[in-house]
Amino acid sequence: MYPWLADHAVAGAVLLPGTGFLELVIRAGDEAGCGRVEELTLEAPLVLPEHTSVAVQVVVGGPDGAGRRAVSVYSCADDAVDGEWTRHADGILAPGDHTSGAELDVWPPEGADRVDLAGFYEQFADSGVVYGPAFQGLKSVWCRGDEVFAEVSVNEETDADEFGLHPALLDAAVQASVFAGFDEPAGRMPFSWSGVSLYATGASALRVRLVRSGTDVASIDVADQTGRPVASIESLVLRPVDLEALVLPGRDSLFRLEWIPVPAGTAGAVAVLGELVLPGAESYVDLAELGAALDAGATPDTVLIPLASSSADTPAAVREMTTRVLDLVRTWAADPRFAAVRAAFVTRGALGEVTNVVAASAWGLLRSAQTEHPDRFVLIDTDTDAGSLAALPSAAAAGEPQVIVRDGEVRAGRLLRFPAVSSARSWDGDGTVLITGGTGGLGALLARHLVAECGVRNLLLLSRRGPDAEGVAELVAELAARGAEVRVVACDVADRGALAEVLGSVPVEHPLTAVIHAAGVLDDGVLDTLTPSRLDTVLRPKVDGAWHLHELTRESDLAAFVVFSSVAGTFGAAGQGNYAAANTFLDGLVQYRCGLGLPGLSLVWGAWEISGGMNAGLASSDIRRMERAGMSAMSVDQGLALFDEALGGDEPVVVAMRFDGRLRSSAEVPAALRGLVGNPVRRSVATGVAGSATLRDRLAALDPAARGSAMADLVRGQIAVVLGHSSATAVDMGQAFGDLGFDSLTAVELRNALATATGVRLPATLAFDYPTPLVLAEFLLSELMGGIARPVPAPLVHRRTNPAPGVGGRLAGDGCLAPGLGVPAGVDRRGHQAVSQRGAVGRAARRGLRAAGRRRAGRIRRRGSRNTARAGGERNRRPGARPDPGVAGRRAVRGRQTGFRHP
């Protein structure tokens, strides 16, 4: 493993140097019998992510009549959600010998003037190109007319003997072009190579002769310390670095939600609940009247349910709204009369240019309802345009779970990549930064980051326990040692009076310049278990606290107003309806503030790999749930880097989360992610089953015994997937669901999976109603086959003598085990703030480039990887064009792969 790659950074991103591409292509040419790189053009930079892997392929084509071959270099990040390959370089290989080349035996060059190199690498750093020690190989330079001569070397740690021509060594030779008279010399990097031949390998020191031959072109001759030729480059084109073209590390971890036009659907029969007036639609006062109409023969396909609040007190209005929505959803899902009718909830001004922050909270709760009860609910946000009102029926039929209607046009939400940011936000060192939840795990990490990395010198940390919270004394002492003034105050941010008093105590000489609202608690449970009290527990710190901060600082000259939200609201986490509602309120509040010309950023976090806080209650089922969704936890370093990058942009709501390859192979991709991964085209072998009609036909063709066994296998397979078993044989069909390890949330997951597989509409209480999987299989077979159903035989299974560790003997009815989708740490699941003693985790060491000169395909890694090397051809992924990997195989850029750790 080689650490030297980390020493090649541009605009804060570690790049594979252009000389690295050349080394890979030269090695590919050796294997193909082509000793000359006739041409190689670099098309896109390859950013090496700090913690994840990048697969690299060198693709060599077949020979033409002259023996020349096309060559290309591709990469694909392992966490790139779209799975697309990027072509970074394209060129031509040709036959060539290894015997010619210019000698540089007269040394130092006669008649040349020596150049002072003092401040040379500082000049590069000023242009955004930061060379670490491994790339500071330019030792001496002489100039003679258009000629530049140089001595370059690399240290022993770079293992130059394992390369044809070490990329850091050749890069140092290219650095001498600064003295060739080019415009903006320090900002230029290789763009294309022509006529490259390598005559000798393994050099650790070189003599260099570079001759400028055009406005951005030079030729280079390279010799060893005796003057014998090592390599020659007939033409090297150098171009200024385009910082905007860099794919920065957050590209596949930072996203924004964009609403794009989609075709409207063909509306069927539509009814309206409440006061919404829609021409041609039947109107009903409430669900009771609608149910009576259905009993009498009414057959609407969709019922539009408008949502509004009458309270002028925003926090009170949020409770009124979410309580009403909770009641509507629970009633709708439980009443069999509504099973064939879709409910479309309609809000106004809750998304985009938000004018109704109260309605924004309803979206989080309803997104969770969609997750727990698939295909039962649609969400629509509209404006005041008459055409939008008329478009509501077709919007509900658009085939999208969530849409907005603007000026009569139907739009659906899609996550898009966050635009690259070339500079970070600068913080006012004299101002005071307030952090709510400031003594919790994430709050403490953020405080350390702001002091150590951002230059913040005045912190006001709020939490309910304040100075009495565990670890606070150590935290304050640590920050003070770094030169920061820190005040820790016990304050319930939901108490407006107490918060106002704290804000009034901020010293005039260090005025409040930034607010970071990271406070929050969890009280998880599926919708059937939520109550107004459980809603209030979660809403108070996030909703009330954020609203009070908004009102009390509205006249302050804030540079930043940051709230920590969660993807639980964006995607609708099952079992977290109250938490999702609180977070979409935060998203809406920030957009509302931006509409008023006030600063605002909602950082919508995915999961973190840190101890304590709201991650503390994650069970193994929660982790499996996230893993199946293709969602990976981010390290502390990743999260803090994303925090910095998001603050450098202009987007009001930024989603920060990591995906992995499982998302691309998922049979069910959330609608918001379709713009990144596209629509799934294949079902999963483990979970995909044909529709109910096909399943019914398949079962009908079997004899009664085989029919029962097939249904038992289906149920057992789905249980194994939900519980994370590697084999369905681990499921005892005669064991109670509670003893198998089910909780109320995994019971909902099983219900949804079996409903999809069989086409049978099933209750959320499925695992409560049927005591064992065997009894459940009998019920499903009866429902699906009707009169031809037969009893399900008890299949032979491996019985466990004891339940799974940590699993009680009954199914918990309160939904206390949560999905944990994107819960920022720092706040305890039981309702009190927690403190992480882990401290600020240092940035992971960079990985290095495994020698391309080795005869086997290697891997490019960052420093500190615990993985053992593997041959480059171990996987079969290819770029989108599916080129033949050819003789060169591929290399892989590999980062640290941590366990999916949750406290």
Side-chain angles (χ1 to χ4, degrees):
M1 288 176 264
Y2 297 93
W4 52 266
L5 264 181
D7 289 342
H8 188 266
V10 179
V14 175
L15 302 185
L16 180 69
T19 53
F21 288 109
L22 183 62
E23 172 73 5
L24 290 170
V25 168
I26 288 174
R27 283 293 300 118
D30 288 347
E31 296 292 336
C34 294
R36 174 184 170 88
V37 179
E38 190 166 290
E39 178 183 310
L40 183 65
T41 300
L42 307 184
E43 301 177 350
L46 172 53
V47 177
L48 306 182
E50 188 170 0
H51 300 281
T52 56
S53 307
V54 177
V56 175
Q57 285 196 75
V58 178
V59 181
V60 178
D64 63 10
R68 302 188 307 172
R69 298 171 181 263
V71 62
S72 299
V73 182
Y74 295 84
S75 81
C76 178
D78 278 356
D79 63 350
V81 295
D82 51 19
E84 293 182 356
W85 288 78
T86 299
R87 190 172 71 180
H88 296 278
D90 190 52
I92 297 173
L93 297 170
D97 62 65
H98 299 163
T99 58
S100 59
E103 295 190 355
L104 299 176
D105 51 352
V106 179
W107 203 263
E110 296 178 344
D113 298 322
R114 191 172 188 126
V115 177
D116 183 4
L117 294 180
F120 177 73
Y121 286 104
E122 288 76 8
Q123 181 183 6
F124 271 99
D126 291 341
S127 68
V129 180
V130 179
Y131 287 126
F135 280 81
Q136 295 180 7
L138 186 62
K139 305 304 181 182
S140 302
V141 173
W142 298 264
C143 291
R144 185 176 64 192
D146 290 334
E147 296 175 294
V148 177
F149 300 89
E151 288 181 349
V152 298
S153 63
V154 291
N155 53 41
E156 295 180 357
E157 287 75 15
T158 54
D159 294 328
D161 58 336
E162 295 186 354
F163 292 81
L165 184 53
H166 194 289
L169 188 64
L170 182 56
D171 191 275
V174 173
Q175 293 168 20
S177 65
V178 167
F179 304 100
F182 295 116
D183 294 334
E184 302 178 23
R188 290 179 176 268
M189 300 188 78
F191 172 71
S192 69
W193 314 79
S194 299
V196 180
S197 297
L198 179 66
Y199 310 120
T201 65
S204 60
L206 297 172
R207 297 175 179 177
V208 179
R209 175 179 180 266
L210 183 149
V211 181
R212 177 180 174 181
S213 55
T215 57
D216 55 3
V217 183
S219 62
I220 301 178
D221 292 308
V222 177
D224 62 21
Q225 292 177 291
T226 68
R228 298 182 63 186
V230 171
S232 62
I233 302 168
E234 294 177 1
S235 174
L236 168 62
V237 178
L238 298 158
R239 296 278 174 84
V241 178
D242 182 5
L243 298 182
E244 295 299 321
L246 291 181
V247 182
L248 297 180
R251 181 176 183 265
D252 277 315
S253 297
L254 287 181
F255 308 92
R256 59 188 175 88
L257 187 64
E258 185 78 9
W259 295 91
I260 63 172
V262 294
T266 302
V270 175
V272 175
L273 197 71
E275 299 178 357
L276 180 67
V277 177
L278 187 67
E282 291 290 335
S283 181
Y284 303 97
V285 174
D286 53 26
L287 290 181
E289 186 177 1
L290 173 63
L294 294 174
D295 289 337
T299 57
D301 297 299
T302 302
V303 176
L304 300 176
I305 305 177
L307 297 176
S309 176
S310 59
S311 176
D313 180 331
T314 295
V318 169
R319 285 161 177 75
E320 176 187 324
M321 172 72 75
T322 52
T323 299
R324 177 173 181 246
V325 169
L326 179 62
D327 182 64
L328 286 169
V329 166
R330 290 170 60 174
T331 302
W332 189 278
D335 195 327
R337 294 176 298 179
F338 303 141
V341 185
R342 182 167 296 179
F345 290 90
V346 181
T347 60
R348 178 177 293 172
L351 299 171
E353 296 179 359
V354 173
T355 58
N356 188 348
V357 293
V358 173
S361 65
W363 274 69
L365 182 57
L366 286 166
R367 283 169 173 162
S368 290
Q370 288 181 322
T371 303
E372 292 186 27
H373 302 279
D375 301 322
R376 301 296 305 276
F377 307 113
V378 174
L379 309 185
I380 306 173
D381 187 71
T382 185
D383 55 17
T384 58
D385 185 78
S388 297
L389 176 64
L392 288 179
S394 57
E400 294 281 343
Q402 303 158 26
V403 296
I404 67 173
V405 186
R406 297 293 184 265
D407 298 325
E409 182 180 57
V410 180
R411 304 177 187 177
R414 298 288 187 265
L415 282 187
L416 303 179
R417 288 185 176 86
F418 184 74
V421 176
S422 59
S423 61
R425 174 189 292 270
S426 60
W427 293 80
D428 182 356
D430 293 328
T432 295
V433 177
L434 181 150
I435 304 177
T436 70
T439 61
L442 186 55
L445 288 171
L446 186 61
R448 292 183 174 98
H449 176 72
L450 291 174
V451 171
E453 305 294 336
C454 303
V456 172
R457 287 296 171 262
N458 299 281
L459 283 175
L460 177 56
L461 307 181
L462 304 187
S463 67
R464 289 198 291 177
R465 295 180 61 195
D468 295 331
E470 184 181 358
V472 167
E474 293 85 351
L475 173 64
V476 172
E478 176 187 338
L479 298 178
R482 292 180 176 271
E485 182 74 25
V486 183
R487 276 205 306 147
V488 181
V489 179
C491 177
D492 180 358
V493 293
D495 184 334
R496 181 187 176 94
L499 182 60
E501 182 178 348
V502 172
L503 292 174
S505 70
V506 175
V508 176
E509 62 271 22
H510 300 297
L512 188 68
T513 55
V515 169
I516 301 175
H517 184 41
V521 297
L522 288 177
D523 186 8
D524 294 339
V526 294
L527 294 175
D528 285 345
T529 70
L530 292 185
T531 63
S533 175
R534 298 182 72 179
L535 284 173
D536 181 72
T537 296
V538 175
L539 295 176
R540 278 192 90 253
K542 280 190 171 284
V543 173
D544 297 38
W547 184 254
H548 296 334
L549 286 167
H550 159 67
E551 289 196 317
L552 294 172
T553 65
R554 188 166 177 172
E555 302 303 322
S556 302
D557 186 20
L558 294 182
F561 186 97
V562 184
V563 297
F564 278 15
S565 180
S566 167
V567 295
T570 305
F571 296 107
Q576 286 191 307
N578 48 5
Y579 188 66
N583 285 291
T584 51
F585 173 86
L586 296 182
D587 302 338
L589 173 60
V590 162
Q591 292 171 307
Y592 176 68
R593 284 179 56 88
C594 291
L596 298 175
L598 299 172
L601 169 66
S602 180
L603 262 171
V604 184
W605 290 110
W608 285 60
E609 288 178 340
I610 62 178
S611 298
M614 291 189 294
N615 281 342
L618 283 177
S620 58
S621 58
D622 305 327
I623 298 172
R624 289 194 301 269
R625 190 173 300 111
M626 287 185 284
E627 290 175 337
R628 288 200 303 274
M631 178 178 160
S632 301
M634 66 187 79
S635 70
V636 170
D637 285 344
Q638 286 176 317
L640 294 176
L642 294 177
F643 171 82
D644 290 340
E645 188 168 350
L647 261 71
D650 297 323
E651 293 292 330
V653 179
V654 178
V655 177
M657 65 185 303
R658 293 187 59 221
F659 298 107
D660 58 34
R662 285 168 295 198
L663 180 65
R664 294 192 296 270
S665 61
S666 174
E668 296 293 335
V669 175
L673 298 179
R674 291 173 187 167
L676 294 172
V677 302
N679 292 311
V681 296
R682 300 179 181 88
R683 65 176 175 86
S684 166
V685 173
T687 61
V689 182
S692 60
T694 303
L695 178 60
R696 185 182 296 109
D697 292 343
R698 182 164 60 87
L699 292 173
L702 300 175
D703 62 66
R707 191 179 301 145
S709 295
M711 181 57 74
D713 289 343
L714 171 62
V715 171
R716 184 165 49 187
Q718 297 294 346
I719 291 173
V721 170
V722 170
L723 295 181
H725 296 311
S726 59
S727 171
T729 58
V731 177
D732 185 339
M733 294 290 284
Q735 193 171 17
F737 280 102
D739 293 339
L740 285 171
F742 274 85
D743 56 48
S744 55
L745 189 54
T746 47
V748 169
E749 278 196 273
L750 179 62
R751 184 276 308 270
N752 292 341
L754 289 174
T756 300
T758 64
V760 177
R761 197 172 292 275
L762 301 168
T765 56
L766 186 73
F768 298 96
D769 298 339
Y770 303 94
T772 68
L774 185 61
V775 176
L776 174 59
E778 292 176 343
F779 163 75
L780 288 173
L781 187 60
S782 176
E783 287 291 301
L784 196 63
M785 304 304 297
I788 63 171
R790 294 293 186 273
V792 178
L796 294 176
V797 298
H798 172 70
R799 285 188 177 273
R800 294 183 302 188
T801 57
N802 295 303
V807 177
R810 61 183 180 85
L811 185 63
D814 61 357
C816 59
L817 297 182
L821 267 179
V823 177
V827 188
D828 190 74
R829 283 180 172 262
R830 297 180 302 276
H832 63 269
Q833 292 176 335
V835 179
S836 170
Q837 294 292 332
R838 295 169 62 87
V841 179
R843 296 191 175 278
R846 303 284 188 177
R847 275 68 170 172
L849 177 65
R850 181 158 297 281
R854 292 178 177 172
R855 289 294 174 180
R856 61 182 178 85
R859 317 189 75 184
I860 303 173
R861 298 190 183 204
R862 294 295 186 91
R863 205 163 35 218
S865 173
R866 295 188 297 272
N867 299 314
T868 55
R870 296 186 291 177
E874 63 178 331
R875 295 188 301 187
N876 296 316
R877 295 197 299 171
R878 287 183 171 83
R882 298 186 181 275
D884 183 354
V887 297
R890 69 181 190 172
R891 308 332 193 223
V893 180
R894 193 81 178 169
R896 182 183 66 183
Q897 294 204 344
T898 60
F900 198 30
R901 295 181 297 142
H902 289 278

